[in-house]
Amino acid sequence: MSTIMLTVKLTVYILAGYLAVRTGVVSKDFHKQLSSLMLAVPLPCLIVRSFYQTELTSEALSKFGSMMLATAVTLAVLYVIGFAAKKLTRVPSESVVCEYGMLTSNFTFLGMPLVETLFGAEGLFYYTIFTTLARVIYYGCPPYMLGSGAKTSVREFLKQMFCPTIVAVIIGFVMYFSNIRPPEAVDSIIEGLAATGTPFGMMLCGMSLAASSLREAFTRPSVIVLSLVHLLVCPAAVLAVCTLCGFEPLITKLAVIYAAMPFGALLPTFAAKYCVDEHSVVYGSALVSLSTVLCIATLPLWIYIFTLI
């Protein structure tokens, strides 16, 4: 698929979700139910299918170590950028939101469907491995990075860790190493459910935009600057470091995609739960909203750069 066609597809899906809320086809809170549905059905199906569609080979196994190393390198680069970028904000609650936000991204709802579209089941398989550690950071670090010193209980931490997508990764690994393949009829059902991941994931971004106020996003200089840093500086830095480290092109591209995604969709939710200052929720929502709008222009740029790698 050409960069232009992919851009059109991305824009139309996001716009469809936006208009569905604005015209009253669905309620403003529908994106919350849709995100729960996405995490429970299409994305787990997408993950599991990517595992059993990928052959167990020595070449694939040899990439496991490289993928985990690439994840660590990527997260280290993003943490350094986040630590530096938070100096742009003077409000403490905004600083912690910035630091955590730079470390994570919308690698699930937007990243997974995009990777599947660009690189197929094999690319999604490696992306799932790449984001395993990132997923632990995403769900495990908010109480420590965002907050007031409040710590989650072991039970709550485990509940967050064993969400449907993590369980799908575990099931996928079992099927992969056991060389288990479902019957054709079952695979057809899983394929159909997984196919809804791309349009629903993109539409979910549009619905989230429609349900939030964009005034805060477009009027705060720090929100604009941080969104551009997240979408342009972060992936550029990751691309440079991964290239210097000698990672193969596919691994480098997956790392860049992770870094090039908008701020994580759950950033406002975590801010509301763990931050003391309620303004941090508004600030987090503004970062998510603006970066999602801007990614319509920045993602095609990175996809084009992939053709040069």
Side-chain angles (χ1 to χ4, degrees), residues 9-246:
K9 182 178 180 180
L10 176 70
T11 304
V12 169
Y13 283 157
I14 292 177
L15 185 61
Y18 181 87
L19 292 177
V21 173
R22 287 299 185 182
T23 58
V25 174
V26 297
S27 68
K28 288 186 176 181
D29 292 330
F30 182 75
H31 69 284
K32 298 178 181 179
Q33 287 75 35
L34 181 58
S35 64
S36 297
L37 177 63
M38 285 282 295
L39 287 173
V41 183
L43 294 180
C45 288
L46 204 59
I47 291 172
V48 171
R49 194 165 190 270
S50 72
F51 273 89
Y52 70 70
Q53 278 203 317
T54 305
E55 293 186 12
L56 177 60
T57 63
S58 57
E59 180 184 358
L61 290 175
S62 67
K63 290 183 181 180
F64 274 47
S66 296
M67 294 301 304
M68 298 305 293
L69 180 59
T71 304
V73 168
T74 299
L75 293 176
V77 170
L78 297 181
Y79 180 79
V80 171
I81 294 175
F83 183 80
K86 75 175 184 178
K87 302 299 182 181
L88 292 172
T89 62
R90 297 180 179 180
V91 181
S93 61
E94 294 179 359
S95 296
V96 295
V97 169
C98 165
E99 186 174 27
Y100 171 75
M102 287 293 176
L103 187 60
T104 61
S105 70
N106 194 343
F107 62 90
T108 298
F109 296 121
L110 189 55
M112 289 180 58
L114 182 62
V115 168
E116 197 271 340
T117 300
L118 290 173
F119 305 112
E122 182 179 4
L124 184 60
F125 166 73
Y126 291 120
Y127 185 71
T128 300
I129 297 171
F130 177 91
T131 56
T132 299
L133 176 59
R135 203 173 294 278
V136 174
I137 299 294
Y138 188 61
Y139 291 107
C141 283
Y144 303 94
M145 295 187 69
L146 291 176
S148 54
K151 304 296 187 292
T152 56
S153 64
V154 174
R155 181 177 181 180
E156 184 179 357
F157 179 79
L158 292 176
K159 183 179 179 180
Q160 291 175 335
M161 288 299 101
F162 286 92
C163 59
T165 50
I166 291 290
V167 173
V169 172
I170 296 173
I171 293 174
F173 270 119
V174 172
M175 297 183 72
Y176 179 72
F177 287 110
S178 303
N179 200 28
I180 297 174
R181 301 290 185 273
E184 184 176 347
V186 176
D187 174 58
S188 178
I189 294 173
I190 295 175
E191 180 183 15
L193 292 172
T196 64
T198 297
F200 280 178
M202 306 297 182
M203 291 174 67
L204 177 61
C205 293
M207 292 178 187
S208 300
L209 287 176
S212 61
S213 173
L214 295 178
R215 179 178 300 177
E216 175 79 5
F218 284 99
T219 56
R220 289 290 300 273
S222 66
V223 172
I224 297 172
V225 172
L226 291 173
S227 295
L228 292 174
V229 168
H230 193 70
L231 297 173
L232 296 175
V233 177
C234 286
V238 168
L239 174 59
V241 173
C242 286
T243 301
L244 289 174
C245 289

Side-chain angles (χ1 to χ4, degrees), residues 97 267-273 275 277-286:
V97 169
L267 180 59
T269 302
F270 289 142
K273 187 173 184 179
C275 290
D277 187 354
E278 293 183 358
H279 177 69
S280 60
V281 181
V282 178
Y283 195 74
S285 298

